PDB file of all heavy atoms in Angstrom:
ATOM      1  N   TYR B   1      -5.770  -9.387  -2.396  1.00 96.00           N
ATOM      2  CA  TYR B   1      -5.196  -8.797  -3.613  1.00 96.00           C
ATOM      3  C   TYR B   1      -4.833  -7.325  -3.412  1.00 96.00           C
ATOM      4  O   TYR B   1      -5.202  -6.438  -4.167  1.00 96.00           O
ATOM      5  CB  TYR B   1      -6.133  -8.953  -4.822  1.00 96.00           C
ATOM      6  CG  TYR B   1      -6.623 -10.362  -4.996  1.00 96.00           C
ATOM      7  CD1 TYR B   1      -7.978 -10.675  -4.881  1.00 96.00           C
ATOM      8  CD2 TYR B   1      -5.741 -11.404  -5.275  1.00 96.00           C
ATOM      9  CE1 TYR B   1      -8.425 -11.966  -5.039  1.00 96.00           C
ATOM     10  CE2 TYR B   1      -6.190 -12.711  -5.434  1.00 96.00           C
ATOM     11  CZ  TYR B   1      -7.537 -12.986  -5.301  1.00 96.00           C
ATOM     12  OH  TYR B   1      -7.976 -14.262  -5.463  1.00 96.00           O
ATOM     13  N   ARG B   2      -4.060  -7.095  -2.364  1.00 96.00           N
ATOM     14  CA  ARG B   2      -3.528  -5.751  -2.067  1.00 96.00           C
ATOM     15  C   ARG B   2      -2.030  -5.870  -1.861  1.00 96.00           C
ATOM     16  O   ARG B   2      -1.548  -6.844  -1.299  1.00 96.00           O
ATOM     17  CB  ARG B   2      -4.194  -5.178  -0.814  1.00 96.00           C
ATOM     18  CG  ARG B   2      -5.687  -5.021  -0.991  1.00 96.00           C
ATOM     19  CD  ARG B   2      -6.233  -3.897  -0.155  1.00 96.00           C
ATOM     20  NE  ARG B   2      -7.629  -3.670  -0.466  1.00 96.00           N
ATOM     21  CZ  ARG B   2      -8.057  -2.745  -1.341  1.00 96.00           C
ATOM     22  NH1 ARG B   2      -7.204  -1.973  -1.944  1.00 96.00           N
ATOM     23  NH2 ARG B   2      -9.337  -2.592  -1.563  1.00 96.00           N
ATOM     24  N   TRP B   3      -1.299  -4.854  -2.338  1.00 95.00           N
ATOM     25  CA  TRP B   3       0.156  -4.895  -2.252  1.00 95.00           C
ATOM     26  C   TRP B   3       0.610  -4.996  -0.809  1.00 95.00           C
ATOM     27  O   TRP B   3       0.156  -4.232   0.040  1.00 95.00           O
ATOM     28  CB  TRP B   3       0.772  -3.655  -2.892  1.00 95.00           C
ATOM     29  CG  TRP B   3       0.543  -3.578  -4.370  1.00 95.00           C
ATOM     30  CD1 TRP B   3      -0.202  -2.643  -5.026  1.00 95.00           C
ATOM     31  CD2 TRP B   3       1.056  -4.462  -5.364  1.00 95.00           C
ATOM     32  NE1 TRP B   3      -0.189  -2.899  -6.372  1.00 95.00           N
ATOM     33  CE2 TRP B   3       0.573  -4.011  -6.612  1.00 95.00           C
ATOM     34  CE3 TRP B   3       1.856  -5.586  -5.335  1.00 95.00           C
ATOM     35  CZ2 TRP B   3       0.887  -4.647  -7.813  1.00 95.00           C
ATOM     36  CZ3 TRP B   3       2.174  -6.228  -6.524  1.00 95.00           C
ATOM     37  CH2 TRP B   3       1.693  -5.763  -7.752  1.00 95.00           C
ATOM     38  N   ARG B   4       1.526  -5.904  -0.543  1.00 89.00           N
ATOM     39  CA  ARG B   4       2.112  -6.050   0.792  1.00 89.00           C
ATOM     40  C   ARG B   4       3.326  -5.158   0.949  1.00 89.00           C
ATOM     41  O   ARG B   4       3.705  -4.822   2.055  1.00 89.00           O
ATOM     42  CB  ARG B   4       2.537  -7.499   1.037  1.00 89.00           C
ATOM     43  CG  ARG B   4       1.508  -8.414   1.645  1.00 89.00           C
ATOM     44  CD  ARG B   4       0.190  -8.466   0.958  1.00 89.00           C
ATOM     45  NE  ARG B   4      -0.660  -9.566   1.405  1.00 89.00           N
ATOM     46  CZ  ARG B   4      -1.393 -10.273   0.576  1.00 89.00           C
ATOM     47  NH1 ARG B   4      -1.401 -10.048  -0.703  1.00 89.00           N
ATOM     48  NH2 ARG B   4      -2.164 -11.215   1.055  1.00 89.00           N
ATOM     49  N   PHE B   5       3.968  -4.791  -0.162  1.00 89.00           N
ATOM     50  CA  PHE B   5       5.104  -3.856  -0.186  1.00 89.00           C
ATOM     51  C   PHE B   5       4.833  -2.845  -1.289  1.00 89.00           C
ATOM     52  O   PHE B   5       4.032  -3.066  -2.180  1.00 89.00           O
ATOM     53  CB  PHE B   5       6.419  -4.574  -0.514  1.00 89.00           C
ATOM     54  CG  PHE B   5       6.859  -5.581   0.502  1.00 89.00           C
ATOM     55  CD1 PHE B   5       6.934  -6.924   0.186  1.00 89.00           C
ATOM     56  CD2 PHE B   5       7.231  -5.187   1.775  1.00 89.00           C
ATOM     57  CE1 PHE B   5       7.351  -7.867   1.108  1.00 89.00           C
ATOM     58  CE2 PHE B   5       7.649  -6.112   2.713  1.00 89.00           C
ATOM     59  CZ  PHE B   5       7.704  -7.458   2.380  1.00 89.00           C
ATOM     60  N   GLY B   6       5.553  -1.733  -1.242  1.00 94.00           N
ATOM     61  CA  GLY B   6       5.544  -0.783  -2.340  1.00 94.00           C
ATOM     62  C   GLY B   6       6.707  -1.092  -3.274  1.00 94.00           C
ATOM     63  O   GLY B   6       7.639  -1.814  -2.905  1.00 94.00           O
ATOM     64  N   ALA B   7       6.657  -0.552  -4.498  1.00 96.00           N
ATOM     65  CA  ALA B   7       7.729  -0.753  -5.465  1.00 96.00           C
ATOM     66  C   ALA B   7       7.843   0.490  -6.337  1.00 96.00           C
ATOM     67  O   ALA B   7       6.836   1.046  -6.791  1.00 96.00           O
ATOM     68  CB  ALA B   7       7.451  -1.972  -6.341  1.00 96.00           C
ATOM     69  N   VAL B   8       9.096   0.923  -6.551  1.00 97.00           N
ATOM     70  CA  VAL B   8       9.363   2.106  -7.361  1.00 97.00           C
ATOM     71  C   VAL B   8      10.568   1.831  -8.252  1.00 97.00           C
ATOM     72  O   VAL B   8      11.518   1.170  -7.828  1.00 97.00           O
ATOM     73  CB  VAL B   8       9.569   3.363  -6.485  1.00 97.00           C
ATOM     74  CG1 VAL B   8      10.797   3.250  -5.607  1.00 97.00           C
ATOM     75  CG2 VAL B   8       9.603   4.619  -7.316  1.00 97.00           C
ATOM     76  N   ALA B   9      10.514   2.311  -9.491  1.00 98.00           N
ATOM     77  CA  ALA B   9      11.644   2.142 -10.406  1.00 98.00           C
ATOM     78  C   ALA B   9      12.787   3.042  -9.940  1.00 98.00           C
ATOM     79  O   ALA B   9      12.638   4.255  -9.870  1.00 98.00           O
ATOM     80  CB  ALA B   9      11.223   2.508 -11.834  1.00 98.00           C
ATOM     81  N   SER B  10      13.925   2.439  -9.606  1.00 97.00           N
ATOM     82  CA  SER B  10      15.111   3.194  -9.189  1.00 97.00           C
ATOM     83  C   SER B  10      15.854   3.747 -10.397  1.00 97.00           C
ATOM     84  O   SER B  10      16.520   4.778 -10.309  1.00 97.00           O
ATOM     85  CB  SER B  10      16.065   2.300  -8.401  1.00 97.00           C
ATOM     86  OG  SER B  10      15.438   1.787  -7.266  1.00 97.00           O
ATOM     87  N   THR B  11      15.767   3.017 -11.501  1.00 98.00           N
ATOM     88  CA  THR B  11      16.369   3.389 -12.773  1.00 98.00           C
ATOM     89  C   THR B  11      15.295   3.190 -13.838  1.00 98.00           C
ATOM     90  O   THR B  11      14.241   2.614 -13.520  1.00 98.00           O
ATOM     91  CB  THR B  11      17.574   2.478 -13.110  1.00 98.00           C
ATOM     92  OG1 THR B  11      17.080   1.146 -13.340  1.00 98.00           O
ATOM     93  CG2 THR B  11      18.615   2.467 -11.997  1.00 98.00           C
ATOM     94  N   PRO B  12      15.530   3.600 -15.054  1.00 98.00           N
ATOM     95  CA  PRO B  12      14.559   3.210 -16.095  1.00 98.00           C
ATOM     96  C   PRO B  12      14.454   1.684 -16.132  1.00 98.00           C
ATOM     97  O   PRO B  12      15.463   0.979 -15.996  1.00 98.00           O
ATOM     98  CB  PRO B  12      15.181   3.760 -17.384  1.00 98.00           C
ATOM     99  CG  PRO B  12      16.041   4.907 -16.914  1.00 98.00           C
ATOM    100  CD  PRO B  12      16.584   4.463 -15.574  1.00 98.00           C
ATOM    101  N   VAL B  13      13.228   1.180 -16.262  1.00 98.00           N
ATOM    102  CA  VAL B  13      12.967  -0.249 -16.198  1.00 98.00           C
ATOM    103  C   VAL B  13      12.242  -0.709 -17.449  1.00 98.00           C
ATOM    104  O   VAL B  13      11.295  -0.062 -17.897  1.00 98.00           O
ATOM    105  CB  VAL B  13      12.129  -0.608 -14.944  1.00 98.00           C
ATOM    106  CG1 VAL B  13      11.663  -2.061 -14.963  1.00 98.00           C
ATOM    107  CG2 VAL B  13      12.900  -0.295 -13.684  1.00 98.00           C
ATOM    108  N   GLU B  14      12.700  -1.828 -17.995  1.00 98.00           N
ATOM    109  CA  GLU B  14      11.967  -2.553 -19.031  1.00 98.00           C
ATOM    110  C   GLU B  14      11.522  -3.856 -18.399  1.00 98.00           C
ATOM    111  O   GLU B  14      12.317  -4.515 -17.707  1.00 98.00           O
ATOM    112  CB  GLU B  14      12.855  -2.835 -20.249  1.00 98.00           C
ATOM    113  CG  GLU B  14      13.235  -1.592 -21.001  1.00 98.00           C
ATOM    114  CD  GLU B  14      14.140  -1.893 -22.186  1.00 98.00           C
ATOM    115  OE1 GLU B  14      14.296  -3.086 -22.555  1.00 98.00           O
ATOM    116  OE2 GLU B  14      14.700  -0.941 -22.719  1.00 98.00           O
ATOM    117  N   ALA B  15      10.254  -4.219 -18.594  1.00 98.00           N
ATOM    118  CA  ALA B  15       9.729  -5.407 -17.927  1.00 98.00           C
ATOM    119  C   ALA B  15       8.654  -6.068 -18.760  1.00 98.00           C
ATOM    120  O   ALA B  15       8.105  -5.472 -19.683  1.00 98.00           O
ATOM    121  CB  ALA B  15       9.156  -5.010 -16.574  1.00 98.00           C
ATOM    122  N   VAL B  16       8.364  -7.305 -18.410  1.00 97.00           N
ATOM    123  CA  VAL B  16       7.194  -8.006 -18.926  1.00 97.00           C
ATOM    124  C   VAL B  16       6.146  -7.891 -17.836  1.00 97.00           C
ATOM    125  O   VAL B  16       6.381  -8.271 -16.689  1.00 97.00           O
ATOM    126  CB  VAL B  16       7.509  -9.490 -19.229  1.00 97.00           C
ATOM    127  CG1 VAL B  16       6.247 -10.192 -19.735  1.00 97.00           C
ATOM    128  CG2 VAL B  16       8.645  -9.610 -20.235  1.00 97.00           C
ATOM    129  N   GLU B  17       5.004  -7.316 -18.199  1.00 97.00           N
ATOM    130  CA  GLU B  17       3.909  -7.124 -17.247  1.00 97.00           C
ATOM    131  C   GLU B  17       2.852  -8.189 -17.482  1.00 97.00           C
ATOM    132  O   GLU B  17       2.482  -8.458 -18.628  1.00 97.00           O
ATOM    133  CB  GLU B  17       3.293  -5.744 -17.435  1.00 97.00           C
ATOM    134  CG  GLU B  17       2.151  -5.450 -16.494  1.00 97.00           C
ATOM    135  CD  GLU B  17       1.605  -4.049 -16.698  1.00 97.00           C
ATOM    136  OE1 GLU B  17       2.208  -3.116 -16.134  1.00 97.00           O
ATOM    137  OE2 GLU B  17       0.599  -3.917 -17.424  1.00 97.00           O
ATOM    138  N   PHE B  18       2.361  -8.787 -16.390  1.00 96.00           N
ATOM    139  CA  PHE B  18       1.327  -9.804 -16.475  1.00 96.00           C
ATOM    140  C   PHE B  18       0.052  -9.313 -15.803  1.00 96.00           C
ATOM    141  O   PHE B  18       0.096  -8.701 -14.728  1.00 96.00           O
ATOM    142  CB  PHE B  18       1.783 -11.086 -15.764  1.00 96.00           C
ATOM    143  CG  PHE B  18       2.909 -11.786 -16.465  1.00 96.00           C
ATOM    144  CD1 PHE B  18       4.220 -11.393 -16.245  1.00 96.00           C
ATOM    145  CD2 PHE B  18       2.660 -12.827 -17.344  1.00 96.00           C
ATOM    146  CE1 PHE B  18       5.266 -12.025 -16.885  1.00 96.00           C
ATOM    147  CE2 PHE B  18       3.702 -13.463 -17.998  1.00 96.00           C
ATOM    148  CZ  PHE B  18       5.019 -13.065 -17.769  1.00 96.00           C
ATOM    149  N   ASP B  19      -1.071  -9.601 -16.438  1.00 96.00           N
ATOM    150  CA  ASP B  19      -2.384  -9.294 -15.876  1.00 96.00           C
ATOM    151  C   ASP B  19      -2.691 -10.356 -14.830  1.00 96.00           C
ATOM    152  O   ASP B  19      -2.978 -11.519 -15.189  1.00 96.00           O
ATOM    153  CB  ASP B  19      -3.426  -9.302 -16.989  1.00 96.00           C
ATOM    154  CG  ASP B  19      -4.830  -9.006 -16.510  1.00 96.00           C
ATOM    155  OD1 ASP B  19      -5.173  -9.349 -15.355  1.00 96.00           O
ATOM    156  OD2 ASP B  19      -5.612  -8.451 -17.307  1.00 96.00           O
ATOM    157  N   GLY B  20      -2.626  -9.996 -13.556  1.00 95.00           N
ATOM    158  CA  GLY B  20      -2.815 -10.957 -12.480  1.00 95.00           C
ATOM    159  C   GLY B  20      -4.185 -11.598 -12.470  1.00 95.00           C
ATOM    160  O   GLY B  20      -4.319 -12.794 -12.171  1.00 95.00           O
ATOM    161  N   ARG B  21      -5.219 -10.841 -12.791  1.00 95.00           N
ATOM    162  CA  ARG B  21      -6.569 -11.418 -12.809  1.00 95.00           C
ATOM    163  C   ARG B  21      -6.665 -12.511 -13.862  1.00 95.00           C
ATOM    164  O   ARG B  21      -7.229 -13.588 -13.603  1.00 95.00           O
ATOM    165  CB  ARG B  21      -7.606 -10.337 -13.045  1.00 95.00           C
ATOM    166  CG  ARG B  21      -7.728  -9.389 -11.839  1.00 95.00           C
ATOM    167  CD  ARG B  21      -8.598  -8.227 -12.145  1.00 95.00           C
ATOM    168  NE  ARG B  21      -7.900  -7.421 -13.158  1.00 95.00           N
ATOM    169  CZ  ARG B  21      -8.315  -6.274 -13.641  1.00 95.00           C
ATOM    170  NH1 ARG B  21      -9.444  -5.776 -13.217  1.00 95.00           N
ATOM    171  NH2 ARG B  21      -7.620  -5.606 -14.533  1.00 95.00           N
ATOM    172  N   LEU B  22      -6.113 -12.259 -15.047  1.00 95.00           N
ATOM    173  CA  LEU B  22      -6.143 -13.265 -16.096  1.00 95.00           C
ATOM    174  C   LEU B  22      -5.303 -14.494 -15.725  1.00 95.00           C
ATOM    175  O   LEU B  22      -5.699 -15.635 -15.961  1.00 95.00           O
ATOM    176  CB  LEU B  22      -5.659 -12.679 -17.430  1.00 95.00           C
ATOM    177  CG  LEU B  22      -5.624 -13.625 -18.628  1.00 95.00           C
ATOM    178  CD1 LEU B  22      -6.967 -14.331 -18.837  1.00 95.00           C
ATOM    179  CD2 LEU B  22      -5.204 -12.870 -19.877  1.00 95.00           C
ATOM    180  N   VAL B  23      -4.165 -14.273 -15.111  1.00 95.00           N
ATOM    181  CA  VAL B  23      -3.319 -15.392 -14.677  1.00 95.00           C
ATOM    182  C   VAL B  23      -4.060 -16.224 -13.627  1.00 95.00           C
ATOM    183  O   VAL B  23      -3.992 -17.459 -13.654  1.00 95.00           O
ATOM    184  CB  VAL B  23      -1.953 -14.918 -14.163  1.00 95.00           C
ATOM    185  CG1 VAL B  23      -1.149 -16.076 -13.578  1.00 95.00           C
ATOM    186  CG2 VAL B  23      -1.160 -14.251 -15.296  1.00 95.00           C
ATOM    187  N   ARG B  24      -4.808 -15.594 -12.727  1.00 95.00           N
ATOM    188  CA  ARG B  24      -5.604 -16.360 -11.756  1.00 95.00           C
ATOM    189  C   ARG B  24      -6.641 -17.227 -12.454  1.00 95.00           C
ATOM    190  O   ARG B  24      -6.851 -18.386 -12.068  1.00 95.00           O
ATOM    191  CB  ARG B  24      -6.286 -15.434 -10.747  1.00 95.00           C
ATOM    192  CG  ARG B  24      -5.334 -14.851  -9.716  1.00 95.00           C
ATOM    193  CD  ARG B  24      -6.066 -14.241  -8.525  1.00 95.00           C
ATOM    194  NE  ARG B  24      -7.081 -13.274  -8.857  1.00 95.00           N
ATOM    195  CZ  ARG B  24      -6.895 -11.947  -8.913  1.00 95.00           C
ATOM    196  NH1 ARG B  24      -5.680 -11.448  -8.676  1.00 95.00           N
ATOM    197  NH2 ARG B  24      -7.876 -11.139  -9.203  1.00 95.00           N
ATOM    198  N   VAL B  25      -7.259 -16.725 -13.506  1.00 95.00           N
ATOM    199  CA  VAL B  25      -8.231 -17.519 -14.271  1.00 95.00           C
ATOM    200  C   VAL B  25      -7.521 -18.690 -14.939  1.00 95.00           C
ATOM    201  O   VAL B  25      -8.004 -19.829 -14.896  1.00 95.00           O
ATOM    202  CB  VAL B  25      -8.961 -16.647 -15.337  1.00 95.00           C
ATOM    203  CG1 VAL B  25      -9.749 -17.510 -16.302  1.00 95.00           C
ATOM    204  CG2 VAL B  25      -9.861 -15.630 -14.652  1.00 95.00           C
ATOM    205  N   LEU B  26      -6.354 -18.434 -15.540  1.00 94.00           N
ATOM    206  CA  LEU B  26      -5.594 -19.515 -16.185  1.00 94.00           C
ATOM    207  C   LEU B  26      -5.237 -20.606 -15.159  1.00 94.00           C
ATOM    208  O   LEU B  26      -5.289 -21.794 -15.478  1.00 94.00           O
ATOM    209  CB  LEU B  26      -4.331 -18.962 -16.829  1.00 94.00           C
ATOM    210  CG  LEU B  26      -4.531 -18.014 -18.005  1.00 94.00           C
ATOM    211  CD1 LEU B  26      -3.189 -17.402 -18.421  1.00 94.00           C
ATOM    212  CD2 LEU B  26      -5.198 -18.722 -19.175  1.00 94.00           C
ATOM    213  N   CYS B  27      -4.885 -20.200 -13.957  1.00 92.00           N
ATOM    214  CA  CYS B  27      -4.545 -21.160 -12.907  1.00 92.00           C
ATOM    215  C   CYS B  27      -5.774 -21.965 -12.463  1.00 92.00           C
ATOM    216  O   CYS B  27      -5.657 -23.148 -12.163  1.00 92.00           O
ATOM    217  CB  CYS B  27      -3.950 -20.444 -11.709  1.00 92.00           C
ATOM    218  SG  CYS B  27      -2.304 -19.763 -12.028  1.00 92.00           S
ATOM    219  N   ALA B  28      -6.936 -21.319 -12.423  1.00 94.00           N
ATOM    220  CA  ALA B  28      -8.159 -22.023 -12.034  1.00 94.00           C
ATOM    221  C   ALA B  28      -8.546 -23.060 -13.083  1.00 94.00           C
ATOM    222  O   ALA B  28      -9.014 -24.152 -12.738  1.00 94.00           O
ATOM    223  CB  ALA B  28      -9.295 -21.023 -11.826  1.00 94.00           C
ATOM    224  N   VAL B  29      -8.324 -22.733 -14.345  1.00 93.00           N
ATOM    225  CA  VAL B  29      -8.653 -23.663 -15.441  1.00 93.00           C
ATOM    226  C   VAL B  29      -7.665 -24.814 -15.509  1.00 93.00           C
ATOM    227  O   VAL B  29      -8.025 -25.943 -15.842  1.00 93.00           O
ATOM    228  CB  VAL B  29      -8.697 -22.876 -16.776  1.00 93.00           C
ATOM    229  CG1 VAL B  29      -8.796 -23.816 -17.968  1.00 93.00           C
ATOM    230  CG2 VAL B  29      -9.845 -21.894 -16.766  1.00 93.00           C
ATOM    231  N   ASP B  30      -6.400 -24.547 -15.194  1.00 92.00           N
ATOM    232  CA  ASP B  30      -5.345 -25.559 -15.273  1.00 92.00           C
ATOM    233  C   ASP B  30      -4.654 -25.656 -13.900  1.00 92.00           C
ATOM    234  O   ASP B  30      -3.688 -24.936 -13.636  1.00 92.00           O
ATOM    235  CB  ASP B  30      -4.336 -25.197 -16.357  1.00 92.00           C
ATOM    236  CG  ASP B  30      -3.238 -26.229 -16.523  1.00 92.00           C
ATOM    237  OD1 ASP B  30      -3.160 -27.195 -15.724  1.00 92.00           O
ATOM    238  OD2 ASP B  30      -2.434 -26.075 -17.458  1.00 92.00           O
ATOM    239  N   PRO B  31      -5.143 -26.555 -13.033  1.00 92.00           N
ATOM    240  CA  PRO B  31      -4.567 -26.663 -11.690  1.00 92.00           C
ATOM    241  C   PRO B  31      -3.076 -26.966 -11.668  1.00 92.00           C
ATOM    242  O   PRO B  31      -2.378 -26.538 -10.745  1.00 92.00           O
ATOM    243  CB  PRO B  31      -5.381 -27.803 -11.042  1.00 92.00           C
ATOM    244  CG  PRO B  31      -6.676 -27.799 -11.790  1.00 92.00           C
ATOM    245  CD  PRO B  31      -6.323 -27.411 -13.197  1.00 92.00           C
ATOM    246  N   SER B  32      -2.547 -27.655 -12.659  1.00 90.00           N
ATOM    247  CA  SER B  32      -1.102 -27.922 -12.649  1.00 90.00           C
ATOM    248  C   SER B  32      -0.314 -26.626 -12.867  1.00 90.00           C
ATOM    249  O   SER B  32       0.734 -26.424 -12.259  1.00 90.00           O
ATOM    250  CB  SER B  32      -0.708 -28.996 -13.672  1.00 90.00           C
ATOM    251  OG  SER B  32      -0.928 -28.546 -14.982  1.00 90.00           O
ATOM    252  N   LEU B  33      -0.831 -25.733 -13.711  1.00 91.00           N
ATOM    253  CA  LEU B  33      -0.213 -24.422 -13.879  1.00 91.00           C
ATOM    254  C   LEU B  33      -0.336 -23.641 -12.568  1.00 91.00           C
ATOM    255  O   LEU B  33       0.642 -23.018 -12.117  1.00 91.00           O
ATOM    256  CB  LEU B  33      -0.876 -23.643 -15.024  1.00 91.00           C
ATOM    257  CG  LEU B  33      -0.438 -22.181 -15.165  1.00 91.00           C
ATOM    258  CD1 LEU B  33       1.046 -22.076 -15.516  1.00 91.00           C
ATOM    259  CD2 LEU B  33      -1.286 -21.485 -16.231  1.00 91.00           C
TER     260      LEU B  33
END
């Protein structure tokens, strides 16, 4: 769980951010997800 690449906003950015730890839990609870 360490970045393999860096990332920087080249312009102003709007995004949907996801909590990776929570998504990992959701995946563990629902293997099809």
